[in-house]
Amino acid sequence: MREELIVAGFGGQGVMFTGTLLAQAAMLEGKFVTFFPAYGAEVRGGTANASVIISDEEIGSPLVSAPDTLIILNQPSLDRFHRKLKKEGQLVVNSTLVQPEALKNIVQGVSQVPASEIAEQLGNIRVANMVALGTYLKIKPVVKLSSVNEALATLLTGKKAGLQEINKKAIKAGYEFSK
Amino acid sequence: MKKLMKGNEALGEGAIKAGCAAYFGYPITPQNELTEYMSKRMLEEKRVFLQSESELAAINMVLGASAAGVKAMTSSSSPGISLKQEGLSYMAGCELPALIVNVQRGGPGLGNIAGSQADYFQATKGGGHGDYHLIVLAPSSVQEMFEMPAQAFALAEKYRNPVMILADGVVGQILEPMEEVKVDSTYHGDRSWVLDGCQGRAPRKIRSLLMEEGALEEHNIKLQKKYKVIKEQEQRCQKQNTEKADIILVAYGTSARVCYSAMLAARKKGLSVGLLRPLTLWPFPVKAIAELTGTAKAFLTVEMSAGQMVEDVKLAVNGRKPVHFYGRAGGGMPTEEEILKEIEKI
């Protein structure tokens, strides 16, 4: 098993957290994993992206040039990354923030989830990233949901411990959305 | 138990576990997480953390701490490391042990903040003025970012010489699982030179200004003798599939990771390719490379630079086999596919 993934969105949408969470879950399952954040002039409101590689074997280069999966949280990220996706790749897109016509020329598998909308209904728009992650994990179970929940408990501690529940709910909602 | 850690932070924790008692630094991307990590952890450990007013101040604080016998370090990225060169030359002249970390970014000038390996010449050939060498270590994983500070301090103290860890933006920024293995935190070597107060003994002097007739030449002869011993005893590298391989890739740090992927891809295609990864850039693993000139048909050096380490590979191969080069400068990064193409050209 080898999965190469890029997560991209606005700064503040939790792109880095999504990637880190996935990496943490993969590590808990004993897999090899690398997380490489784009660390340019990314600021809240600008674009942010991160590359994650999960593998059963040792990972050389941590860079992802042709991802198996793209998790796209906003329109500018789709424009920037969709051409890099592998032919047989999978696109998970936050359809609340992406125009439907932008997807019409994409030949790869597209899974649209209104992540921001679902997150808002759950009471916290900031967990849209987790909704998209849930949808992704339904389509491609690269790690178990239980590992992701365990990873949440590791990453959200102290003052942030109270956020574990809403994140879990969001992941579940995204997972169940993708039937 | 494994822990997911960022390269820069793993280096900080590794230095703390190695007994680093004082950190001096000034912020710069892509090594900021290291400075930030130390600002928190060094205080927790009740050790010294100081954000200096400049890079020059930081390196000279390291010089002072080291002269007082304290395990001290500083870190920066390329432009900041250029500013520290005067202090490094003085420390090499004074034979002071310390750890200097360079998380390289694109140059020349202020350049950019992407990962790069264009400071190889500066790190291994002197950098500052005078006939001197730093010992230079090159990590390529978060695990090595954690383990190398202890090795660096041990070498620094054993030889009374500043040691540089030459990392790059990529290995500094990635997160990977790593094991917090036990590292050596003892002080190596004698301390008969340390300036720790001369009550009840004759005063000691540490200086790099030697004006007496012949004194500086004599000092240089002594330094060169030391460098010769280091060259003989401390060459380190990792070899993968190099035995009987036709083509040997030579790369360090992040480039070596890309080469590892390219090597596996090439071997899948039936090509006989191995990888030699220097762990010490100075002393350069001349012996290991020279040994392979018997069996290898060609060498391919890959760097995130316009071609620097390739000169040392050529010196080690000494004309016995062709040495090729592939590199990307200015923060560009070679890809697995590009390296594979270069291999197939040979």
Side-chain angles (χ1 to χ4, degrees):
Chain A
M1 194 280 288
R2 187 182 169 94
E3 169 80 351
E4 301 192 8
L5 168 120
I6 291 177
V7 194
F10 284 128
Q13 276 187 308
V15 166
M16 297 305 160
F17 183 75
T18 310
T20 311
L21 182 67
L22 203 52
Q24 179 77 25
M27 183 188 72
L28 290 172
E29 293 188 2
K31 295 189 164 84
F32 289 96
V33 61
T34 56
F35 167 89
F36 182 52
Y39 59 93
E42 268 77 2
V43 290
R44 197 171 297 273
T47 59
N49 73 85
S51 306
V52 179
I53 302 176
I54 302 172
S55 176
D56 293 329
E57 281 159 29
E58 194 179 338
I59 299 165
S61 172
L63 289 197
V64 174
S65 43
D68 300 298
T69 301
L70 275 177
I71 298 179
I72 295 292
L73 299 177
N74 69 350
Q75 179 79 45
S77 301
L78 181 73
D79 301 341
R80 182 169 167 197
F81 288 107
H82 78 84
R83 275 174 213 92
K84 290 176 180 263
L85 190 59
K86 273 188 192 148
K87 258 193 218 144
E88 62 284 10
Q90 175 68 43
L91 177 70
V92 176
V93 59
N94 175 11
S95 57
T96 315
L97 296 181
V98 170
Q99 305 298 322
E101 58 266 31
L103 297 165
K104 70 173 188 258
N105 291 327
I106 295 171
V107 294
Q108 294 95 334
V110 179
S111 186
Q112 300 186 51
V113 54
S116 299
E117 211 179 304
I118 293 173
E120 223 168 353
Q121 281 161 13
L122 290 171
N124 188 344
I125 193 160
R126 290 170 64 192
V127 294
N129 58 337
M130 294 293 106
V131 177
L133 179 67
T135 300
Y136 163 62
L137 290 174
K138 179 70 188 277
I139 304 163
K140 282 198 169 181
V142 290
V143 289
K144 294 192 206 88
L145 274 192
S146 58
S147 310
V148 177
N149 287 338
E150 200 184 324
L152 274 174
T154 319
L155 294 181
L156 297 175
T157 54
K159 274 187 217 158
K160 290 181 179 167
L163 294 170
Q164 284 179 27
E165 258 338 286
I166 182 77
N167 278 280
K168 277 185 200 173
K169 259 192 213 164
I171 294 166
K172 192 159 171 265
Y175 191 87
E176 283 167 358
F177 179 85
S178 168
K179 288 280 157 59
Chain B
M1 206 189 75
K2 289 208 167 170
K3 200 171 158 185
L4 191 68
M5 252 186 135
K6 200 181 194 61
N8 283 332
E9 296 182 346
L11 194 140
E13 190 58 34
I16 286 168
K17 292 280 150 62
C20 177
Y23 172 96
F24 307 97
Y26 184 83
I28 183 169
T29 306
Q31 65 82 56
N32 275 329
E33 297 82 5
L34 170 52
T35 311
E36 184 190 7
Y37 189 83
M38 295 307 253
S39 72
K40 184 169 162 238
R41 284 283 290 124
M42 289 297 268
L43 298 190
E44 279 172 13
E45 297 284 329
K46 299 205 176 359
R47 302 184 198 175
V48 173
F49 169 87
L50 203 150
Q51 182 176 321
S52 56
E53 69 273 35
S54 71
E55 287 85 351
L56 267 76
I59 191 70
N60 286 298
M61 287 172 186
V62 170
L63 186 153
S66 173
V70 169
K71 261 187 209 266
M73 74 176 284
T74 183
S75 67
S76 190
S77 179
S78 309
I81 294 292
S82 290
L83 290 168
K84 293 182 197 285
Q85 293 303 321
E86 180 194 49
L88 284 174
S89 168
Y90 279 47
M91 288 174 71
C94 293
E95 294 192 86
L96 290 172
L99 167 60
I100 297 92
V101 179
N102 181 0
V103 182
Q104 297 171 89
R105 63 187 243 178
L110 267 185
N112 60 20
I113 59 172
S116 170
Q117 298 181 320
D119 304 347
Y120 178 91
F121 283 153
Q122 184 194 58
T124 62
K125 311 287 177 192
H129 59 281
D131 274 317
Y132 77 93
H133 280 289
L134 305 177
I135 297 171
V136 184
L137 306 179
S140 77
S141 64
V142 173
Q143 187 68 44
E144 284 181 350
M145 289 290 265
F146 177 76
E147 291 179 27
M148 275 189 177
Q151 297 164 14
F153 277 121
L155 286 166
E157 287 152 8
K158 182 175 174 191
Y159 293 106
R160 279 188 63 185
N161 206 69
V163 175
M164 177 173 280
I165 293 182
L166 192 66
D168 63 71
V170 178
V171 78
Q173 290 294 327
I174 53 170
L175 271 79
E176 271 184 320
M178 60 139 244
E179 195 91 43
E180 234 184 75
V181 293
K182 182 138 181 54
V183 297
D184 188 0
S185 64
T186 51
Y187 195 99
H188 296 255
D190 89 288
R191 290 170 64 86
S192 60
W193 51 273
V194 167
L195 307 185
D196 53 1
C198 63
Q199 205 170 27
R201 64 159 171 81
R204 295 165 183 162
K205 261 190 276 183
I206 293 179
R207 54 186 184 153
S208 67
L209 179 68
L210 301 167
M211 297 285 279
E212 304 84 355
E213 176 84 30
L216 185 58
E217 186 173 14
E218 198 182 306
H219 181 56
N220 269 275
I221 290 167
K222 182 185 160 213
L223 287 179
Q224 291 303 320
K225 265 190 194 156
K226 175 172 84 174
Y227 299 149
K228 193 164 172 256
V229 173
I230 297 172
K231 273 201 243 182
E232 273 163 15
Q233 299 192 352
E234 305 295 348
Q235 297 180 21
R236 299 172 192 176
C237 68
Q238 187 191 45
K239 291 182 281 185
Q240 285 165 299
N241 299 321
T242 50
E243 226 176 282
K244 294 179 197 154
D246 290 341
I247 296 166
I248 305 291
L249 301 174
V250 187
Y252 72 97
T254 294
S255 294
R257 293 182 68 120
V258 189
C259 280
Y260 174 81
S261 299
M263 173 189 74
L264 294 184
R267 292 180 72 86
K268 257 188 203 157
K269 286 188 160 187
L271 297 163
S272 170
V273 178
L275 170 63
L276 185 143
R277 175 167 75 92
L279 296 168
T280 53
L281 297 177
W282 200 90
F284 194 68
V286 176
K287 289 185 236 172
I289 290 178
E291 271 168 27
L292 290 172
T293 57
T295 48
K297 289 183 180 145
F299 292 79
L300 171 62
T301 309
V302 178
E303 297 174 57
M304 282 143 68
S305 82
Q308 301 192 10
M309 183 179 74
V310 63
E311 293 191 2
D312 284 332
V313 177
K314 281 182 178 165
L315 284 171
V317 170
N318 203 12
R320 286 187 284 266
K321 293 289 157 66
V323 177
H324 303 269
F325 173 74
Y326 183 72
R328 300 264 305 262
M333 218 177 117
T335 65
E336 186 184 321
E337 294 75 25
E338 287 165 4
I339 297 168
L340 197 56
K341 219 181 269 176
E342 293 299 314
I343 292 170
E344 283 169 335
K345 268 195 227 162
I346 296 170

